[in-house]
Amino acid sequence: MHAAPPAVSPSWTVGAVTVQRIDEVPLPPQTGPWLLPAATPDVVRERDWLRPAFADPDGVLRLDSHSFAMVVDGLRVVVDTGIGNGKTRANPAWHDLRTDYLERLTLAGFPPESVDLVVLTHLHTDHVGWNTRRVDGAWVPTFPRARYLTSKAEYDFWAGRAMDDARAAVFRDSVHPVDEAGLLEAVDVPAGGLTVAAGLELLPTPGHTPGHIAVRLTSGAASALVTGDCIHHPVQLAHPDIGSCVDIDPAQAERTRRSLLASLAAGGALLLGTHFPPPTAGRVVADGDAYRLEPVSGRTGAVAAVDRCADADGRTA
Ligand SMILES: [Zn+2]
């Protein structure tokens, strides 16, 4: 069916943990101007380091959809589940996708039935899509053995809200099926964070949504942070005041970004951006009165296969 097998995802080493990017789809060029309207081409072109990787030559932002997958404390973990295949969506970039995401996930060593934990940074359409897949006309959990975690603040916010038809459809096909299967857990995430496994922590990062969480990974002296949507694009390192048009509380989203960026710049954790285009990861360094991203490219090729063989629990692909 496919002309060529999907490429092996790039990966990053964080202490003893390998973090793999699982690609879903690049988002179309109109995404940036819609999502981050204040990041105009003029603003983007002021920062040379944003081009060519993070913006095109004209200063239009590039954004992607992908997940991160890793084995932490013996648990096979997927952070965020993208847009999903075959979903009916108003946004043409999200409508009825036919990507090789599951093949890529499997090739990276994470066949769906092997996944123990799915962390949902928040319950927006492009973060819950692969929660489910369609089997015989019904939406069923993609990861049948997994606990799906989100924050209680996030779950309660959406549960207590009258949703429009489009939002209700997302919950119907991508959230309710895992909830009804008893796989969804809404956990209290206190201000100091919640440790869900040795080295894996959920951090409250509210603003984009009220219960948004980022994911901190720690292994030995190394650490990394998966953004979810508290930072959509590296241009927000240069301009922490630039918010997205879909931030529910823009002022709080900005406070979250500023405090997170200050701690990343001080602590040196690897930043892994959920919508950052390749190279996707980097270190946050001070730059004038703001920051820039010093990119850290992932490794590609045979490394993932070696990691797969090295998994001790025998549940390799
Ligand atoms: Zn998003």
Side-chain angles (χ1 to χ4, degrees), residues 126-127 229 275:
D126 57 321
H127 296 259
D229 279 359
H275 288 302

Side-chain angles (χ1 to χ4, degrees), residues 26-37 60-63 91 93-94:
L27 298 173
Q30 56 269 33
T31 306
W34 161 72
L35 187 68
L36 299 162
V60 176
L61 302 180
R62 303 182 201 275
L63 290 122
N91 182 338
W94 296 346

Side-chain angles (χ1 to χ4, degrees), residues 88-132:
T88 301
R89 299 290 183 251
N91 182 338
W94 296 346
H95 177 68
D96 197 19
L97 295 190
R98 310 285 168 95
T99 72
D100 290 328
Y101 175 90
L102 278 193
E103 287 85 344
R104 291 187 190 113
L105 191 63
T106 299
L107 198 66
F110 295 79
E113 60 280 4
S114 79
V115 172
D116 299 294
L117 189 62
V118 174
V119 178
L120 305 170
T121 61
H122 62 302
L123 299 180
H124 271 163
T125 316
D126 57 321
H127 296 259
V128 299
W130 275 109
N131 281 3
T132 58

